[in-house]
Amino acid sequence: MTPFLSARGIVKRFPGVLANDHVDFDVNAGEIHALLGENGAGKSTLMQIVYGLYGRDAGEILIEGRPLDLRSTRDAIAAGIGMIHQEFMLVRRFSATENVVLGLKAGGALKPLDLEGPAREIAELSRRYGLQVDPAARIEHLPVGTQQRVEILKLLYRKAKLLILDEPTAVLTPGEAEALLKVLRTLADQGHAVVIVTHKLHEIMAAADRVTIMRDGRVVGSVKTAESSEAELARLMVGREVALTARRSTRPAGPSVLRVEGLTVMSDQGRSALEGLSLDLREGEILGLAGVDGNGQSELAQALTGLRTASGGRVLLGERDLTRASPAERRSAGVAYVPADRRHVGSVGALSIAENAILGDQRAYARFGLLDRKRGRSFAAGLMERFDIRPRKPDYPAGKLSGGNLQKVQLGRAIASDPRALIVEQPTRGLDVGAIEAVWAELLRLREAGKAILLISAELEEILNLSDRIAVIYEGRIMGELPAAQADLRRIGLMMAGSHGEEDGHADL
Amino acid sequence: MRIFERRAAPAEGAAAAALSTALAILAALAVGGLLFLPFGADPFSAYAALFGESFLTWRGFGFTLLKAAPLILIGLGTVVAWRTGFGFLGFEGCVMIGAAAATWVALMVREGQILAGLPFAAFLPLAILASLIAGGIWSGIVGLFKSRFGGNEVITSLMMNYVALLLVQYLVSGPLREPGGLPQSPRLPRETWLPQLFDGMRANAGILIALAAALVVWALLLRSRIGYEMVVTGLNPKAARFGGVEVGRRQFMAACLAGGLAAMAGMVEVLGLHHRLIDGMSGGVGFVGMVAALLGKLHPLGVVIASTLYAGMTVGADAMQRQAGLPSSIVFMIQSLIVLFILAGEFFRRYRLRLPGRRTASAGEGV
């Protein structure tokens, strides 16, 4: 049968980079097709060419066997191709219907806008594909998962046959992700072609029919998921064997290092983000803090590192009360922090790697008020050597580093300060398999070295693989805490959703 | 195919910035050259007259340096403030405040006043200090509003300009008024005037003060720890806080220093050029200085070059009007064109040209 979309021999050059090197890619109607590859493998470039955002240097694109003259996104949309970007393109103060019709030219400029017809049609589409979107709801009141379904409605309303979703589950909770995959299956069953761009292997195995793997701008394989395995996909993607289960030695945890007692913190919106939260971080132990994003994890990390003022409770490092200490004082006391947003909080993109490597430690590099840049550069060079950060140029702008390499800079910088307690937030978010492997190994090495580590992550897999103890946070409270040996997915999942994980409703501690 | 295409990564780096600036100036001169044609003038000889007068004659170059000094100082203030993420626009007001402070100190050197007989070597540091402090306090108020109450510094600093202008108006028509004369202060004693660099050249020590300030700002901003913290604050306040930088404090410092530098420009104008405080004497120099800072890519050295170029064009414009009868407003249009083309250059650092009929888009990559 003729594939719905067929890209033949696509070549795309950027100065100094061959982003797509004679790429062939087919998607059939009725299938979910995963496009897998590490960051920089060329998968986004390929999809942006298909969607008409980029021109191509060679190759052709066929829709149902007929060549498509693709000059702009307008042509792509007319041919039935739709794309949802990682960041949603929605007007927050508009209703779902208003967002869907936005940009469509119906009637004259002076004619009153008819929203009732479209609203009915949207409700009908929503019912047919099980999207559960209220056409009248305002975007800002909708959870992220529903916002994403409004984006899907936008495409369906424009009669898209092919839906391309770029990293669709990156911003979703596990429950929302599962619901999304169900929606995508419904779409495929009703004859749509769906492409998901991702590097999450378990999702592909769970949801996709076929998977095309890209590496260094080339397609290295296209397989049916039913005939493949996570291990094979990982090997194709990275180009070597990868072990994605961390091996931990069992060892008793040492004495308490960082204690949090009844911490209460407000969010930026002035709502209560943490309500009397208590935790105890011990030497040589990884405490995994599981929870759906936005339940107070970031506020906790910020309160621990002095970036947010606590309105109640105490933070103690050993015997020292740090509750009122400034970020600089906490650093020198031995609390290091690896923030989740490595591009906007943990680094300054316009500055060099060397200048980023000394961030937070700049006082130690100053002599008579002047920065000793030579020493900063040699420190950065050492860091890059030790953590295999590429390209190995201390003067390279940090903003141009890949996510994995930037994360190694952040992590290396924190480790080099020889902290007593380390707070890492979403350490592998957006990283590819090879980089995840490196970050995990580094965290385990720190644990062996006797550091107390608080691992804040929304990835349950990560929490289960690395932690000695697991605590679950929900709406600013700890729902329960249990040793890793007794962790089971169902109970943690229940706690993440706000139940105490026990049928009788008692906390497990 | 589309004509403009987003580059995989924006062309950054010093070379790309310098090249795009140079091309923008050339493009502005080329387009601006057309403006001479209706007057029957040859653009090349017009430009020769323009730049020849202001850079190649001893007299004209003296005027160029005279005009460049305050622009450099204001441009440096702009660099310090904007690089720290403090969107200060109140340089005009600070110029007036600095001029008033310098006038006040200089008038005290008059016969019968408390500082009478003070040698110039002692007077100058005192005048610099007075204008620095006055300007620093003036802009510091704006900084305080921002760091304490979250006031928008763009609006408050613009409003403070009017307050400063009116304050000087009050001074020259009241306490500092020359007896019986126009709304201006008495003439400053000759021993407080900035000395001329060479006999027969209008340039005075003001340019040396400006160059020294450029050196200090360069060392502070690009070599010191505090400067590093300021730059990080400006680029990314969240990362700055993460790195233990006291963001509010650094921005307040930047505000004070920026105002102080602009106030020194006012001092240079009073002690070097006008020799008295005059109502409205700043005449927009505080805004032109910001343009010079933008043209200089917010780098101290760039500010020196851009200010000198800008000053030279202004001086040349007058000469051109006098000698060839061409309206000097053409030059001001060219100055504006340069700004527009530099902004357009920013676009080409993010997008590249893709000309139809070419397989690989190599066109426009150099820009």
Side-chain angles (χ1 to χ4, degrees):
Chain A
M1 101 189 205
T2 323
F4 174 74
L5 174 120
S6 175
R8 294 267 148 266
I10 302 291
V11 176
K12 178 69 187 172
R13 282 186 202 92
F14 288 111
V17 194
L18 189 52
N20 277 181
D21 182 5
H22 297 91
V23 170
D24 294 334
F25 180 71
D26 289 331
V27 199
N28 296 320
E31 76 167 347
I32 299 180
H33 194 126
L35 185 55
L36 174 69
E38 294 197 289
N39 296 322
K43 49 191 199 303
S44 292
T45 307
L46 177 64
M47 286 303 109
Q48 291 184 346
I49 289 171
V50 166
Y51 188 51
L53 280 168
Y54 275 140
R56 56 188 185 277
D57 295 322
E60 57 175 351
I61 290 166
L62 311 171
I63 294 286
E64 291 172 327
R66 284 185 305 277
L68 174 66
D69 183 19
L70 190 59
R71 287 166 184 276
S72 70
T73 52
R74 204 177 288 264
D75 299 331
I77 292 166
I81 302 169
M83 183 157 171
I84 298 176
H85 298 269
Q86 229 177 73
E87 272 121 52
F88 302 151
M89 316 266 177
L90 296 171
V91 183
R92 293 181 56 79
R93 301 190 68 87
F94 277 12
S95 72
T97 305
E98 285 166 330
N99 268 287
V100 168
V101 300
L102 186 67
L104 291 176
K105 288 183 183 127
L110 294 174
K111 231 176 78 181
L113 191 60
D114 169 31
L115 285 176
E116 275 173 31
R120 269 196 303 278
E121 197 179 331
I122 290 162
E124 163 60 22
L125 281 171
S126 167
R127 198 193 51 72
R128 194 167 124 211
Y129 295 100
L131 295 174
Q132 295 175 331
V133 171
D134 171 11
R138 261 216 238 173
I139 296 301
E140 59 188 346
H141 298 147
L142 296 176
V144 178
T146 314
Q147 290 183 20
Q148 190 174 45
R149 295 202 292 276
V150 174
E151 287 277 10
I152 294 176
L153 274 172
K154 261 162 86 175
L155 302 189
L156 294 175
Y157 191 80
R158 285 163 176 73
K159 310 269 183 277
K161 280 275 285 174
L162 167 65
L163 290 88
I164 303 167
L165 293 95
D166 189 8
E167 301 275 356
T169 58
V171 290
L172 302 183
T173 66
E176 284 176 328
E178 208 172 301
L180 171 72
L181 297 179
K182 267 195 201 123
V183 166
L184 296 183
R185 178 51 66 197
T186 313
L187 286 166
D189 286 345
Q190 302 206 20
H192 289 276
V194 178
V195 174
I196 50 177
V197 181
T198 182
H199 51 235
K200 289 186 183 167
L201 297 170
H202 59 271
E203 251 169 48
I204 292 175
M205 295 308 292
D209 303 303
R210 268 204 303 156
V211 50
T212 295
I213 304 108
M214 289 186 73
R215 191 168 76 227
D216 298 333
R218 277 188 294 270
V219 168
V220 291
S222 191
V223 293
K224 288 204 167 97
T225 42
E227 294 162 11
S228 184
S229 66
E230 274 190 44
E232 188 195 356
L233 294 182
R235 198 185 61 241
L236 282 168
M237 173 166 73
V238 182
R240 60 178 170 83
E241 291 290 339
V242 278
L244 258 192
T245 42
R247 212 169 298 230
R248 287 181 299 115
S249 60
T250 46
R251 49 179 283 176
S256 162
V257 175
L258 186 73
R259 253 190 2 262
V260 181
E261 292 173 357
L263 197 62
T264 301
V265 169
M266 295 293 161
S267 72
D268 289 335
Q269 286 77 37
R271 286 196 298 260
S272 161
L274 299 179
E275 291 175 16
L277 181 139
S278 299
L279 279 176
D280 190 8
L281 218 55
R282 296 188 211 135
E283 208 176 274
E285 165 191 74
I286 298 182
L287 171 61
L289 185 67
V292 175
D293 260 2
N295 272 293
Q297 294 98 319
S298 300
E299 285 85 356
L300 172 63
Q302 289 160 1
L304 291 180
T305 49
L307 298 172
R308 190 178 284 274
T309 351
S311 49
R314 295 202 300 167
V315 177
L316 298 156
L317 185 73
E319 290 306 306
R320 191 169 160 199
D321 189 340
L322 289 181
T323 318
R324 299 264 161 262
S326 73
E329 284 164 345
R330 294 186 204 220
R331 268 170 189 284
S332 53
V335 181
Y337 175 37
V338 178
D341 191 344
R342 47 187 167 262
R343 298 240 177 246
H344 301 111
V345 178
S347 70
V348 185
L351 295 182
S352 69
I353 297 173
E355 285 167 311
N356 274 286
I358 64 167
L359 181 61
D361 214 13
Q362 60 268 22
R363 276 169 197 279
Y365 286 89
R367 263 186 32 212
F368 309 115
L370 293 185
L371 274 189
D372 187 347
R373 283 171 185 265
K374 215 187 243 169
R375 203 152 66 81
R377 293 188 66 227
S378 70
F379 167 68
L383 209 63
M384 300 176 85
E385 190 68 41
R386 183 170 148 204
F387 294 99
D388 190 26
I389 295 160
R390 288 168 210 206
R392 204 152 292 172
K393 295 182 214 151
D395 293 327
Y396 195 76
K400 288 190 183 175
L401 286 176
S402 72
N405 281 305
L406 189 57
Q407 187 67 320
K408 287 187 205 165
V409 172
Q410 277 209 96
L411 198 55
R413 179 177 63 196
I415 293 169
S417 71
D418 191 27
R420 292 176 65 193
L422 178 68
I423 294 143
V424 284
E425 194 185 348
Q426 317 293 359
T428 59
R429 173 165 289 170
L431 299 192
D432 48 49
V433 184
I436 292 176
E437 210 184 6
V439 169
W440 283 7
E442 210 53 61
L443 289 177
L444 289 174
R445 219 171 336 221
L446 282 172
R447 170 183 174 269
E448 294 298 317
K451 310 290 182 201
I453 300 167
L454 177 63
L455 169 67
I456 301 174
S457 176
E459 294 286 339
L460 264 185
E461 215 184 330
E462 181 163 81
I463 297 266
L464 291 170
N465 259 310
L466 296 178
S467 313
D468 299 286
R469 266 189 309 144
I470 298 172
V472 182
I473 189 170
Y474 175 77
E475 291 193 343
R477 291 200 192 91
I478 298 293
M479 300 306 289
E481 207 181 284
L482 58 169
Q486 294 170 22
D488 88 78
L489 217 52
R490 207 186 65 87
R491 235 168 92 195
I492 296 178
L494 277 173
M495 288 196 271
M496 282 169 71
S499 122
H500 284 282
E502 299 265 314
E503 258 55 61
D504 59 7
H506 283 296
D508 177 72
L509 241 189
Chain B
M1 281 293 156
R2 62 199 56 63
I3 299 175
F4 297 117
E5 182 174 81
R6 190 174 273 278
R7 289 170 185 272
E12 279 153 8
L19 185 65
S20 78
T21 307
L23 286 177
I25 291 172
L26 281 180
L29 290 180
V31 174
L34 301 177
L35 296 171
F36 293 113
L37 298 180
F39 297 92
D42 167 20
F44 291 99
S45 47
Y47 281 133
L50 180 69
F51 291 105
E53 165 73 17
S54 51
F55 289 103
L56 298 178
T57 69
W58 190 241
R59 208 185 84 90
F61 190 57
F63 271 110
T64 299
L65 293 183
L66 184 73
K67 285 217 183 279
L71 290 184
I72 292 172
L73 284 164
I74 295 160
L76 291 172
T78 312
V79 171
V80 170
W82 292 6
R83 279 262 195 133
T84 315
F86 188 68
F88 189 70
L89 301 176
F91 298 102
E92 185 84 356
C94 291
V95 170
M96 291 307 271
I97 292 297
T103 304
W104 181 63
V105 177
L107 288 178
M108 283 201 290
V109 183
R110 280 183 303 180
E111 218 53 55
Q113 302 283 329
I114 43 171
L115 295 179
L118 190 72
F120 186 75
F123 162 75
L124 187 63
L126 197 64
I128 290 178
L129 203 67
S131 59
L132 261 179
I133 290 174
I137 290 176
W138 198 256
S139 55
I141 294 173
V142 176
L144 205 64
F145 279 165
K146 182 181 165 95
S147 60
R148 269 296 147 81
F149 311 111
N152 183 327
E153 74 273 24
V154 173
I155 295 170
T156 45
S157 63
L158 277 175
M159 292 299 122
M160 287 291 273
N161 279 342
Y162 293 105
V163 180
L165 289 170
L166 292 171
L167 182 66
V168 168
Q169 209 169 60
Y170 160 75
L171 288 177
V172 295
S173 46
L176 291 181
R177 183 173 186 149
E178 187 180 25
L182 298 158
Q184 58 186 22
S185 77
R187 200 168 151 105
L188 305 185
R190 206 164 253 285
E191 57 270 27
T192 64
W193 295 5
L194 289 178
Q196 307 215 316
L197 284 187
F198 305 100
D199 276 340
M201 194 192 197
R202 281 301 300 273
N204 57 47
I207 187 71
L208 299 183
I209 294 174
L211 292 177
L215 200 67
V216 170
V217 167
W218 173 81
L220 171 78
L221 205 59
L222 302 175
R223 282 294 168 267
S224 79
R225 176 193 46 104
I226 287 175
Y228 169 83
E229 295 191 351
M230 285 173 149
V231 170
V232 171
T233 297
L235 287 169
N236 186 343
K238 279 185 180 168
R241 255 190 297 273
F242 161 77
V245 176
E246 288 170 87
V247 168
R249 202 156 148 185
R250 289 290 165 261
Q251 287 193 328
F252 180 69
M253 273 186 65
C256 293
L257 184 56
L261 284 162
M264 277 172 66
M267 178 202 78
V268 166
E269 292 271 80
V270 162
L271 300 184
L273 182 63
H274 300 293
H275 302 136
R276 62 168 92 229
L277 187 63
I278 306 170
D279 179 23
M281 59 174 271
S282 54
V285 71
F287 293 97
V288 178
M290 289 192 277
V291 174
L294 274 183
L295 294 190
K297 299 280 171 197
L298 295 181
H299 188 285
L301 179 65
V303 166
V304 171
I305 295 171
S307 301
T308 311
L309 183 72
Y310 219 86
M313 288 183 80
T314 311
V315 169
D318 293 342
M320 198 177 71
Q321 180 157 14
R322 271 197 322 274
Q323 293 163 10
L326 294 170
S328 60
S329 54
I330 292 182
V331 176
F332 301 125
M333 288 162 82
I334 293 172
Q335 286 177 335
S336 312
L337 280 173
I338 293 178
V339 175
L340 285 177
F341 277 102
I342 281 183
L343 293 177
E346 294 295 313
F347 174 82
F348 280 104
R349 282 161 66 185
R350 283 188 190 86
Y351 290 83
R352 59 178 181 171
L353 271 178
R354 247 187 94 99
L355 297 178
R358 300 185 90 168
R359 279 178 60 83
T360 56
S362 56
E365 274 172 22
V367 183

